[in-house]
Amino acid sequence: MRFVTRALATAALSSRPWVTARALSIGTVAASRHSTVGMSEFSHPLPGGILVKEHELSVPLDHEDPSGECLTLFVREVVKAEKQSDKLPYLLFLQGGPGFPAPRVSAPPSGWMKSALEKHRVLLLDQRGTGRSTPATPQHITAMGDPARQAEYLALFRADAIVKDCELVRSVVAGGEKLSLLGQSYGGFCILSYLSFFPASIERALFTCGLAPVGQPIDDVYRATFRRMEQRNARFYRRYPGDIELVRSLARTLDAAPADLPRGGRLTARRFLQLGLLLGSESGLETLHDLLELARAPGAPDNALPELFLVGVENAQAAFETNPIYWLLHESIYCDGAGSASGWAAERVQASLGPAWDYRTRLAEGDPPIFLTGEMVYSWMGEDYAGLRALKPAAELLARKADWPELYRPSELGTGEARCAALMSYDDIYVERQYSEATAGMLRWCRTWVSNEFQHSGLRDQGARVFEKLLAMAKGEVEY
């Protein structure tokens, strides 16, 4: 459920005195040695009149084994300087992904954060495996041991573990106060897990394009996603009809002879078509078109693609390698309980859709347009992406894993007291809107805002407006 807000560096903090927090007892999230927290003082005021504090918590790798291995969890707390001493509610932001850190703080703040800071202390969590929390990079994962050990380790990085981390954050950083939550895309999936396991911990929950398809079989999820991608491809080609033959020409060239990429990967036709991932944001059609036109840049040697184009493709797809959780665990976010192995579902569903989704049937000039794919992940990425090759055996084990723990409890979703509000993009290519509407119906109290004004990136594109309206909806000040 990919959407990562633009990262901006924050100022360095002045000091890092270490303190020890009190012992905890939070249901299954207990054990005093996991509540030790490293905490900085607030920074000096940054432009925009904000203060920033850093927290580092030691949390169990496996919350079912609190005496075992530990991870570091990083949280950044942001507050307006003039409100530093005020008793403000906490708003915890959960990032999209899976596998991406929280946004970094801009100074002065902008977008949704500027609005949130008027009435909240904002907590920015680097979910386990991301950012300044204990990482799950290729370097770190391969050092864990053999593929079986790697897969066992990575299986503990899903939403069911993330929300137990959040409970420790709530107790240690927020003093046990109820939290308000803002979840973008996969962050909303995590909110649903939080509402399932710890409903009493949440005051309000705001979803931006992130109501998970609770109870939907994974193959049905991908069939819906491919249908949305057909529509988005059609929109792209209507806007840029000249790109129909350009995409075809590039696919034909790469099918015959994959190109070597600067950082060691191979640009095959199938990898090239993954650039359709760009089409899910407000500016995605232009971003993709601008990248494709670099393939026409002059000066390349005979039978070679321009270096600018190859570097551009590599940059556009870099997050697959820097944040491998997205590839390794993406399909598992739809595996809810025992017997739910993913088995490379997107690959299986695409193959079942016939010639329309087989680019090799459309390589001749004048054939129907070739479809670009979306957020799907594939087994062959462990061959085409240099940074993923060492992780392919572990990825195969995770794809076959069938004993996943549950992610959601519909009975709890239907009885919780938290006030919820959700923005849904009408033709979202990442999170199927019809399934999101069904999930909203499972919640006891959820107001919905369905709009074709926004793409999946609505929180980034019009953050203040989206946040303020959802908050007002959750408070009961407006209905829609």
Side-chain angles (χ1 to χ4, degrees):
M1 298 307 98
R2 191 169 189 273
F3 165 55
V4 184
T5 47
R6 183 165 56 97
L8 296 174
T10 188
L13 300 184
S14 54
S15 60
R16 298 170 62 87
W18 295 95
V19 300
T20 301
R22 58 186 173 80
L24 304 180
S25 180
I26 323 168
T28 61
V29 189
S32 61
R33 80 185 193 91
H34 295 302
S35 62
T36 300
V37 58
M39 182 175 66
S40 75
E41 299 294 337
F42 274 115
S43 67
H44 60 277
L46 301 177
I50 59 172
L51 303 174
V52 179
K53 182 187 288 188
E54 295 182 341
H55 302 267
E56 290 184 346
L57 286 70
S58 176
V59 302
L61 168 64
D62 182 353
H63 283 281
E64 301 304 313
D65 180 18
S67 63
E69 184 178 348
C70 300
L71 302 174
T72 295
L73 196 69
F74 178 79
V75 186
R76 185 173 276 115
E77 178 182 352
V78 189
V79 68
K80 292 191 74 171
E82 64 191 44
K83 300 178 184 288
Q84 178 183 2
S85 300
D86 294 356
K87 184 175 175 58
L88 299 171
Y90 284 88
L91 175 73
L92 174 65
F93 178 73
L94 290 166
Q95 179 62 291
F100 292 94
R104 271 35 194 170
V105 181
S106 64
S110 60
W112 68 264
M113 194 177 301
K114 181 178 180 180
S115 296
L117 287 170
E118 291 300 319
K119 296 181 179 180
H120 299 85
R121 294 178 184 270
V122 174
L123 300 178
L124 301 172
L125 169 66
D126 283 353
Q127 297 168 22
R128 53 173 53 205
T130 75
R132 284 181 54 187
S133 295
T134 298
T137 61
Q139 179 187 48
H140 180 78
I141 297 168
T142 53
M144 297 299 303
D146 64 21
R149 169 58 182 146
Q150 294 168 22
E152 179 185 21
Y153 178 80
L154 289 161
L156 298 169
F157 282 70
R158 297 196 315 154
D160 52 309
I162 291 169
V163 300
K164 291 173 183 175
D165 293 341
C166 291
E167 269 297 273
L168 287 169
V169 171
R170 185 180 73 86
S171 291
V172 174
V173 179
E177 298 291 328
K178 282 189 174 184
L179 297 174
S180 290
L181 304 174
L182 173 61
Q184 162 60 29
S185 190
Y186 175 68
F189 288 40
C190 293
I191 289 178
L192 288 169
S193 293
Y194 210 160
L195 289 167
S196 294
F197 301 126
F198 303 101
S201 299
I202 302 168
E203 184 75 25
R204 296 185 184 90
L206 312 180
F207 300 82
T208 58
C209 303
L211 278 173
V214 176
Q216 301 296 334
I218 189 170
D219 284 32
D220 290 353
V221 171
Y222 279 111
R223 287 189 190 97
T225 305
F226 277 109
R227 284 194 297 270
R228 293 291 182 191
M229 280 306 301
E230 287 189 20
Q231 298 165 5
R232 191 57 53 86
N233 273 274
R235 180 187 298 184
F236 174 68
Y237 287 133
R238 282 196 303 270
R239 186 173 298 184
Y240 297 108
D243 286 348
I244 294 175
E245 293 304 326
L246 177 57
V247 168
R248 191 190 324 279
S249 174
L250 288 167
R252 188 166 51 235
T253 296
L254 294 167
D255 185 64
D260 292 330
L261 290 168
R263 291 197 288 267
R266 295 173 71 245
L267 184 57
T268 57
R270 59 194 183 185
R271 175 172 175 173
F272 162 67
L273 295 175
Q274 283 190 291
L275 291 173
L277 181 67
L278 297 171
L279 296 176
S281 68
E282 184 179 63
S283 60
L285 277 68
E286 282 62 50
T287 301
L288 177 58
H289 172 72
D290 293 346
L291 176 55
L292 290 173
E293 72 176 4
L294 294 178
R296 294 189 170 113
D302 290 342
N303 301 317
L305 291 169
E307 185 176 33
L308 280 176
F309 174 68
L310 296 176
V311 171
V313 171
E314 202 166 46
N315 289 340
Q317 298 177 332
F320 285 126
E321 296 175 283
T322 58
N323 301 76
I325 284 177
Y326 187 85
W327 176 56
L328 292 159
L329 293 180
H330 190 278
E331 291 198 346
S332 80
I333 69 177
Y334 303 115
C335 297
D336 185 12
S340 56
S342 66
W344 299 112
E347 200 166 328
R348 178 174 63 249
V349 169
Q350 183 172 348
S352 75
L353 297 176
W357 277 98
D358 183 352
Y359 73 89
R360 294 166 296 184
T361 69
R362 298 185 169 192
L363 291 176
E365 185 174 352
D367 281 346
I370 290 176
F371 290 148
L372 296 106
T373 58
E375 65 152 7
M376 302 81 174
V377 296
Y378 300 91
S379 63
W380 50 257
M381 292 171 66
E383 302 164 17
D384 293 2
Y385 290 80
L388 301 180
R389 287 170 185 158
L391 303 178
K392 183 172 174 57
E396 294 292 346
L397 292 173
L398 290 166
R400 295 196 296 269
K401 181 178 171 64
D403 58 343
W404 293 104
E406 64 179 343
L407 290 172
Y408 311 113
R409 293 176 178 171
S411 61
E412 294 293 343
L413 296 177
T415 58
E417 296 292 333
R419 296 308 199 240
C420 304
L423 170 65
M424 304 177 207
S425 173
Y426 181 79
D427 53 1
D428 197 325
I429 66 170
Y430 302 142
V431 180
E432 172 53 43
R433 185 250 313 159
Q434 291 183 327
Y435 292 157
S436 292
E437 290 179 309
T439 297
M442 297 180 186
L443 295 166
R444 180 179 180 184
W445 206 102
C446 183
R447 287 183 166 150
T448 59
W449 176 16
V450 181
S451 175
N452 64 359
E453 184 179 356
F454 303 99
Q455 292 300 324
H456 193 74
S457 56
L459 186 63
R460 179 181 65 196
D461 300 327
Q462 297 189 44
R465 180 185 167 207
V466 167
F467 174 79
E468 289 168 9
K469 181 168 180 175
L470 287 177
L471 183 61
M473 290 168 67
K475 288 182 175 181
E477 296 171 355
V478 297
E479 286 193 17
Y480 52 83

